[in-house]
Amino acid sequence: MILKLSLEGLKRKQRDYFILFTGLIVSIAVFYMFLTLALNKEFITGNSVINHIQLVFIVGIVLLSVITFFYLYYTNAFLLSLRKKEFGMYELIGAKKKQIKQVFLLETMLIAAAALGAGIFLGALLSWLVSSLLAAQLNVEFIAFKVFYGPAAFWTMVYFLAVAYAVSFINNRKLAKASINDLLKAEVKHDPLPSKPKNSALMIFSGIVLLGIGYVALFFMEILRFIGLFAAPAATTLGTYLLFASLLPIIVRKWKRNKKMNFRGLNSFTLAQLSFRLNELKWVLATIAMLIALSAGAIAGGFAFKNNAVLSVDEERLYDAALYNPGDAEEEVLETIALEERLSYRFKMDEEFVYYVEDELAANPPLIVDWVSYETKRPGPFPDNLKIDEDGYQNLGDQWTMALETINPAFSTLGRHRIVSAETFEQVEAEEITIVLARSDKFSRYIEQWQELDRLQLQDGARLYIPMDLEYESLYSKYSTFESQYAFASGTFFMGFFLGLAFLTMMASILMFKILSGANSDIRRYDSLRKLGVRKKALEASISKEIFIVFLFPALLGLLHVFVGMRMFTFVIIDPYYRLWISLLIFLAIYGSYYFFTVHLYRKLVLPKG
Amino acid sequence: MTAILNVKNISKTYGTKGANAYTAIRNLSFTMEKGEFIGIMGPSGSGKTTLLNTIATLDSVTEGEIIIGGTSLSAMNEEQLSDFRSQQLGFIFQDFNLLENMSVFENIALPLSLRNTAVPRISATVQQASTLLGISGILEKFPAEISGGQKQRTAIARALVHNPALLLADEPTGALDSTNAAILMETLSDLNKEQKVSVLMVTHDPLSASYCSRLLFIKDGEIDQELHASNSREQFYKEILEVLAGTNERVIAGEAR
Ligand SMILES: Nc1ncnc2c1ncn2[C@@H]1O[C@H](COP(=O)(O)OP(=O)(O)OP(=O)(O)O)[C@@H](O)[C@H]1O
Ligand SMILES: [Mg+2]
C-alpha cells in the first residue's frame, strides 16, 4: 500500500528525480572511466610510464571514492528533502516509520541500480572517447586498453550500491528522528539565522598567516624540501578553511551594510539569500576550493610536464640532428627543413682516440652552453697550443670539451679526443667520417623529419661507426632523447588530465546538488516575490547572481592556489606555467557549464511556472 | 467619486475539458470607489480567493474585464502585470508571506528598493510606515524573532509603504488570535479613514468584517447579497450575523428539501 503510494509520489516528482538521475549517471560514468584506467592490467603493464605512477592512481581512487561518497550523500539528502512532506503524510495516516524507511531505502537502491546500468554504458563511451582523443593527441597508441572492462564495472557496482545503502541508512536515521510535524512543515522550515561570527578577526588573521606559510612553502619547495612537502598542503588547507569560515560571512555583511547597494532592486533579497547560503555552505566551499586547486593543478601540471619534454631536450641539445656521412636521402630530408645553421666536420677514429681537424673547428666553432651563465655561445680560442702531456692527455679546456660533445654526442662518453693539425689528421690510419650538425628554427616543428632522419641513419648501421650496439640501444640522437622523455611526459599528462577532469566534474556536481537540495525551501520565497510584483527576469537574475558568487569564491581561491602551487614544480619542470591558460580554459569550460546547469535547474525548481 | 476598481462580468473557469472544468466565478460584477473598505464574505469554496487573485493579477479571468485605476488588466503582458502589482497594489496574506531571511526593515523596504528609490527616502518612508503600525522597535529583527501579530503588521507596512492604489487582503486575521485580530482591524480601519487607503479584504470572521464600509456576500461564484455599513459597528456586526444565519438557514433548508 505504502509502496504504491510512494510510487505515485515518485511519479509526481519525476522532473526532480530526472535531474538527480542524470547527475548520478555522470558520476558513475566518471568513476567507471577512472577505474578502467586504473585496473586495466594489460594496459598498465604494457605502458611502462603508467606502470611507474600507479601510486598516483591509488591515491586518485581513494580521493575519488571519498568525493563520490559525499556526492551520493548530498544527492540522497536532496532526494529526501523532496519527499519529506509526503512521508509525513503517510505517517499521519498511520504508516509505521519502519515501512517508510524501507520504502526510502528501496527507492534509493532502485535509483542507484538503474543509474548504474546507464552510467557504466556512458562511462565506457567516455573512456573510449577520452582514450582515443588523448592517444591521437599524444601520438601514442594505447595497446590493450579495454573500454569495457569487467573488474572495473564490477567494482563500480559494488561501490555505488554499498554507498547508496550507507547514505540512505544515514538519511533514514535523520528521518526517524524527525517528528511528523517536522516532516509536514518541512517546506516552511526557517533557516537558522546566521550567527555573528566569533573571533572572526583572529580567524581571518590566522587564516591569512597559514595561507602565507603554505604559499611560502610552495614557493621555496626546492629549498625546504621535506618540510615544505608537509607544510605546504597542511598550512594551505587549514588556511583555506579558516578563511572561508570567517571571511565569507563578513564580506556579505559588508555588502549588506552598504545601504545604497543593498536597497537597490532585488539586492537585499539576493544578499540575504547569499548570506544564508554562504553560511550554510562554507565548509563545502572550502573543500571545493581545495579540490579545484587539485584538479586544475593536475591538468596544468600535466600540460607543463608534456611541454617540458620539448623544453628540456632543447636545452640539452643545441643541434637538432647530428648526421654521420649523410647520403642523398638525408640531404633530401634536410632540404625540407628551414635550417638556421648547418655545420660539417670530419673526424677519424682509431683504437685509442677520436681525431678532429684544428682548422676546421676554429673556422666553424659550434654552439655551446656556458656552464656558469647558461648562455649559448661559441667557444673561445684553443688553450695553450693544444699541448699533450706525458700521460698522453690533451688539455682542451672546458669550452672545447663541450664543443666536441656538441659535435659528436654519441662519442662524448669515450672521453679520449684529440684536436690535431690537418697534416696529422691525414696521417691517422683510419676511415674519414663526416658529421653534419643541423639546427632548425624550431625543433618541435619538424618532429616527423627528425624521426625520418633517425630511421635513415639506422638503416645502414655500418656507416655510423658508433661505439654502441644498435640492436639493444637506440640512436643517441636528439630525436630519440625527445621521444623517450615525451612518452614519460605524455603518461603524466594523461594522468593529470584524467584525474583533474574526474575531480572537477565530481566536485562541481557536489556543489550543484548541495545548492539544489536547498531549493525546496526557496520555492515559497520566490512565490512571495512574484506576488509582490517582481518581474520574472529580475527573479532569474537574482538567482544567477547568487549562484555565481557561490561558485566564484572557491574558484578564486582554488586558482590562486594553482598559480602559486605550480611553482613547486620548478625543480622538475623548466616552465611549469607553460600554457597555463589552456588548463584554465578547460577548467572554466567545465566549471562554467556546471554553473549554468545549476542555475538552469535551480530556476526550474524554484521559479513559479507560467 | 471615482471608481478605483471596476469588475465587469467576469467568469473564471479552472481546467479546460468537460469533466475537469470548474467554474469558480460566474458573471460577477461590482464597482469599488476610491477610499472604500470592502469586505468579501461567503462559504468555503465560494470563490473568494479566486476573485481576489484575479483582481491581484495573479490569475487571469476566463471572461469579462477588470479595470484598476483606469487600466484594464487584460491588455497587459506578464511583465507589465508584474510592474503593475509592484506599483499599484499592496498585498496582505493570511500566512504573512514575509521573507524570513530578511530583517523586518528589509521586508518593508522591498517594494521601495524594487523601484530604486533613494536610500534616504527609503529610510524615512519605512520609519513612517513602521511608526504608523507600531513596529518601529523591531525593525532590525528577523521574522522568526517576532510574534504573529507583529508579522502581520510588518506585512501591512510592506503592503502600504509604496502608496498603492489598492490594498488587497486575503483573510489577514485568519492566523491571529482575537486580540491581535482586533488590533489589526483597528489599524486597517484607521488607515482607510485617515490615509484614504482603498482596501479589499476577504474574511470569514464577522467581527473583522464589521470594520468594512461595504460587504459583498458571494455564493457559488456570484454576488448573493450586499450590505452597507450602519451607524455603529455593533449594529453592523449584528446585521452581518443575521445575513450569515440567513444564508445558513437557506443552505440547510435547501438540503432538507
Ligand atoms: N487552481 C485551481 N484549479 C482548480 N480548481 C480550483 C483552483 N483553485 C480553486 N479552485 C476551485 O474553485 C473554487 C473556489 O475556490 P476558492 O479558493 O476561490 O474558494 P474560497 O472562497 O477562497 O474558499 P475558502 O474560504 O475555503 O478559502 C473551489 O471549489 C476550488 O476547488
Ligand atoms: Mg480562500
Side-chain angles (χ1 to χ4, degrees):
Chain A
M1 176 62 189
I2 292 292
L3 196 67
K4 216 177 133 199
L5 277 175
S6 152
L7 276 178
E8 307 241 298
L10 216 145
K11 249 192 220 151
R12 241 176 294 125
K13 300 248 173 185
Q14 231 170 11
R15 195 193 53 187
D16 304 323
Y17 274 84
F18 181 73
I19 294 166
L20 186 106
F21 199 64
T22 334
L24 202 57
I25 289 176
V26 170
S27 91
I28 289 170
V30 170
F31 194 86
Y32 171 81
M33 181 165 76
F34 199 76
L35 273 190
T36 344
L37 196 74
L39 295 180
N40 248 312
K41 275 246 163 57
E42 296 80 7
F43 169 58
I44 293 166
T45 40
N47 192 324
S48 60
V49 181
I50 303 250
N51 200 9
H52 279 306
I53 38 182
Q54 218 189 343
L55 182 74
V56 186
F57 272 110
I58 292 164
V59 173
I61 291 175
V62 170
L63 278 170
L64 204 63
S65 311
V66 173
I67 297 172
T68 309
F69 179 86
F70 281 105
Y71 175 74
L72 282 174
Y73 176 77
Y74 286 127
T75 53
N76 198 247
F78 173 66
L79 204 117
L80 187 60
S81 79
L82 286 178
R83 309 293 297 280
K84 262 191 188 156
K85 198 174 173 187
E86 198 184 319
F87 287 154
M89 222 107 84
Y90 297 158
E91 253 185 87
L92 205 62
I93 58 171
K96 291 201 187 69
K97 273 241 149 83
K98 211 174 137 200
Q99 285 174 301
I100 293 175
K101 278 189 188 174
Q102 275 172 352
V103 166
F104 186 64
L105 177 69
L106 194 71
E107 256 182 51
T108 309
M109 297 307 275
L110 277 179
I111 290 174
L116 269 172
I120 289 178
F121 179 76
L122 183 71
L125 213 69
L126 272 184
S127 20
W128 172 76
L129 195 78
V130 170
S131 62
S132 49
L133 267 180
L134 280 176
Q137 214 251 321
L138 303 181
N139 235 340
V140 287
E141 239 178 275
F142 293 132
I143 315 142
F145 182 71
K146 283 191 201 136
V147 168
F148 272 110
Y149 191 63
F154 175 75
W155 287 113
T156 309
M157 281 191 226
V158 167
Y159 183 74
F160 271 82
L161 289 177
V163 173
Y165 187 86
V167 294
S168 90
F169 184 79
I170 297 172
N171 279 323
N172 256 335
R173 285 185 47 159
K174 277 200 273 175
L175 189 68
K177 267 195 228 141
S179 69
I180 298 184
N181 219 9
D182 288 342
L183 293 179
L184 286 175
K185 288 198 179 134
E187 274 169 33
V188 280
K189 192 190 79 194
H190 296 271
D191 289 319
L193 295 176
S195 52
K196 290 233 156 62
K198 286 169 236 124
N199 299 329
S200 55
L202 184 74
M203 272 168 80
I204 293 176
F205 179 74
S206 36
I208 291 175
V209 168
L210 277 169
L211 212 58
I213 294 176
Y215 280 1
V216 167
L218 279 174
F219 211 80
F220 297 107
M221 185 70 90
E222 208 171 344
I223 305 163
L224 293 169
R225 294 276 151 135
F226 218 61
I227 302 170
L229 215 56
F230 281 98
T236 313
T237 310
L238 215 63
T240 307
Y241 277 93
L242 277 174
L243 275 185
F244 267 92
S246 55
L247 202 58
L248 286 191
I250 284 187
I251 291 175
V252 178
R253 209 169 285 252
K254 275 261 150 64
W255 281 344
K256 277 196 90 77
R257 287 244 175 83
N258 180 345
K259 289 227 164 72
K260 219 171 163 182
M261 177 168 160
N262 194 29
F263 292 105
R264 206 179 156 72
L266 255 190
N267 281 358
S268 60
F269 174 75
T270 312
L271 288 175
Q273 284 283 90
L274 204 57
S275 103
F276 275 82
R277 203 178 286 295
L278 288 181
N279 201 51
E280 179 197 29
L281 291 180
K282 57 193 174 197
W283 302 119
V284 177
L285 292 184
T287 311
I288 284 168
M290 290 312 297
L291 286 177
I292 286 176
L294 218 67
S295 53
I299 295 177
F303 264 117
F305 219 82
K306 196 172 145 223
N307 172 57
N308 196 51
V310 180
L311 278 184
S312 70
V313 87
D314 264 342
E315 200 154 280
E316 233 171 80
R317 302 292 201 82
L318 294 173
Y319 291 89
D320 298 336
L323 305 172
Y324 298 96
N325 290 336
D328 293 341
E330 278 103 332
E331 289 298 344
E332 231 168 74
V333 175
L334 280 178
E335 255 161 42
T336 65
I337 301 170
L339 289 183
E340 299 234 302
E341 191 180 3
R342 181 196 160 112
L343 299 171
S344 176
Y345 307 98
R346 288 179 298 153
F347 72 93
K348 281 185 181 170
M349 173 167 102
D350 62 16
E351 311 285 73
E352 269 183 292
F353 300 108
V354 182
Y355 303 90
Y356 299 91
V357 184
E358 185 180 347
D359 294 340
E360 272 176 25
L361 291 177
N364 292 308
L367 282 173
I368 59 166
V369 177
D370 189 281
W371 267 112
V372 186
S373 66
Y374 284 105
E375 273 165 30
T376 38
K377 60 173 191 184
R378 311 261 171 200
F382 296 113
D384 294 343
N385 290 330
L386 297 167
K387 249 188 251 146
I388 296 169
D389 63 19
E390 305 95 63
D391 301 330
Y393 178 79
Q394 186 183 35
N395 180 22
L396 299 175
D398 284 345
Q399 293 192 356
W400 277 102
T401 309
M402 253 190 332
L404 292 186
E405 265 174 43
T406 307
I407 292 171
N408 206 345
F411 289 51
S412 62
T413 43
L414 257 55
R416 309 224 89 186
H417 306 288
R418 286 254 156 113
I419 297 177
V420 295
S421 64
E423 298 92 63
T424 322
F425 186 79
E426 293 304 329
Q427 284 158 20
V428 174
E429 290 204 6
E431 194 172 344
E432 184 183 298
I433 306 165
T434 310
I435 184 161
V436 171
L437 294 186
R439 187 162 63 82
S440 69
D441 50 345
K442 196 166 186 184
F443 175 77
S444 54
R445 196 171 288 161
Y446 309 101
I447 298 293
E448 271 168 38
Q449 281 93 324
W450 307 134
Q451 190 179 15
E452 174 65 9
L453 285 174
D454 260 22
R455 196 187 61 79
L456 289 172
Q457 290 267 291
L458 279 171
Q459 227 173 29
D460 189 4
R463 258 190 322 160
L464 297 179
Y465 317 97
I466 294 176
M468 50 174 66
D469 193 339
L470 285 171
E471 266 194 39
Y472 302 105
E473 290 176 80
S474 58
L475 195 64
Y476 195 67
S477 67
K478 179 165 174 176
Y479 173 76
S480 70
T481 313
F482 164 77
E483 198 185 22
S484 66
Q485 286 191 13
Y486 194 71
F488 181 72
S490 298
T492 318
F493 169 75
F494 186 82
M495 275 289 313
F497 198 79
F498 222 83
L499 257 177
L501 279 187
F503 283 170
L504 196 60
T505 43
M506 283 280 174
M507 54 120 259
S509 312
I510 288 180
L511 187 54
M512 184 172 99
F513 276 97
K514 188 74 187 109
I515 290 174
L516 291 183
S517 68
N520 241 12
S521 57
D522 282 340
I523 294 176
R524 261 172 61 89
R525 293 178 194 160
Y526 288 98
D527 191 47
S528 297
L529 288 171
R530 181 186 71 97
K531 285 182 177 163
L532 289 179
V534 181
R535 289 183 182 190
K536 196 166 178 199
K537 284 229 174 70
L539 291 179
E540 287 175 348
S542 165
I543 290 176
S544 303
K545 267 190 232 166
E546 178 193 337
I547 298 181
F548 177 76
I549 291 176
V550 171
F551 268 75
L552 179 72
F553 279 126
L556 280 184
L557 203 60
L559 290 184
L560 187 66
H561 288 353
V562 175
F563 277 119
V564 180
M566 289 314 288
R567 232 206 85 101
M568 178 176 78
F569 293 116
T570 34
F571 65 96
V572 270
I573 302 174
I574 294 165
D575 179 13
Y577 292 94
Y578 169 78
R579 286 207 183 151
L580 195 59
W581 60 271
I582 293 186
S583 324
L584 291 186
L585 232 56
I586 292 174
F587 166 79
L588 282 182
I590 294 172
Y591 199 65
S593 20
Y594 265 95
Y595 163 71
F596 286 112
F597 194 47
T598 308
V599 168
H600 174 74
L601 293 180
Y602 196 76
R603 281 178 180 170
K604 273 200 135 177
L605 283 175
V606 301
L607 286 186
K609 278 161 254 5
Chain B
M1 270 201 158
T2 44
I4 178 78
L5 172 66
N6 222 328
V7 176
K8 287 190 205 162
N9 307 93
I10 62 161
S11 297
K12 172 71 187 175
T13 304
Y14 287 113
T16 44
K17 294 217 179 75
N20 277 334
Y22 181 85
T23 306
I25 294 179
R26 299 158 202 275
N27 199 23
L28 190 150
S29 307
F30 73 96
T31 310
M32 181 181 184
E33 301 299 333
K34 198 164 187 215
E36 262 197 299
F37 188 169
I38 294 185
I40 296 171
M41 296 192 81
S44 184
S46 57
K48 304 182 296 292
T49 300
T50 307
L51 174 62
L52 201 76
N53 281 348
T54 53
I55 295 171
T57 77
L58 295 171
D59 217 337
S60 60
V61 293
T62 321
E63 269 168 58
E65 193 179 20
I66 297 174
I67 298 167
I68 302 178
T71 320
S72 172
L73 299 188
S74 51
M76 289 190 264
N77 64 22
E78 199 189 322
E79 274 193 1
Q80 288 169 321
L81 284 176
S82 286
D83 292 349
F84 184 80
R85 277 205 293 280
S86 71
Q87 284 159 18
Q88 304 293 327
L89 302 179
F91 291 97
I92 308 169
F93 304 93
Q94 179 177 353
D95 46 2
F96 324 127
N97 264 348
L98 294 179
L99 294 156
E100 68 269 23
N101 52 359
M102 288 157 73
S103 69
V104 168
F105 186 98
E106 286 173 324
N107 263 288
I108 300 176
L110 193 62
L112 295 176
S113 9
L114 283 178
R115 310 159 139 203
N116 291 328
T117 311
V119 173
R121 264 294 305 272
I122 292 183
S123 298
T125 320
V126 172
Q127 273 305 333
Q128 203 185 350
S130 59
T131 313
L132 199 66
L133 289 154
I135 45 169
S136 51
I138 52 165
L139 288 179
E140 290 314 311
K141 294 202 171 172
F142 283 86
E145 303 169 318
I146 61 178
S147 75
Q150 288 170 327
K151 278 185 203 167
Q152 197 57 300
R153 270 177 279 154
T154 306
I156 297 178
R158 183 179 67 183
L160 284 179
V161 78
H162 56 298
N163 274 324
L166 181 60
L167 193 64
L168 301 168
D170 192 355
E171 300 191 34
T173 57
L176 300 178
D177 59 33
S178 54
T179 323
N180 269 312
I183 297 174
L184 186 91
M185 288 316 299
E186 291 284 350
T187 324
L188 271 183
S189 175
D190 285 351
L191 285 169
N192 170 250
K193 291 205 177 86
E194 283 152 31
Q195 319 282 326
K196 304 281 178 255
V197 181
S198 316
V199 186
L200 183 67
M201 173 182 82
V202 167
T203 184
H204 270 127
D205 174 28
L207 199 61
S208 300
S210 68
Y211 287 88
C212 301
S213 57
R214 182 155 62 114
L215 283 177
L216 304 175
F217 290 88
I218 295 189
K219 211 186 126 205
D220 296 334
E222 292 168 2
I223 295 182
D224 183 47
Q225 219 172 331
E226 210 180 306
L227 202 60
H228 285 267
S230 325
N231 300 332
S232 75
R233 202 164 61 74
E234 285 73 24
Q235 177 64 30
F236 193 33
Y237 177 55
K238 277 193 194 124
E239 286 173 25
I240 298 168
L241 286 181
E242 272 165 31
V243 171
L244 290 178
T247 345
N248 277 346
E249 263 166 34
R250 276 183 2 223
V251 169
I252 292 164
E255 278 174 355
R257 224 181 280 152

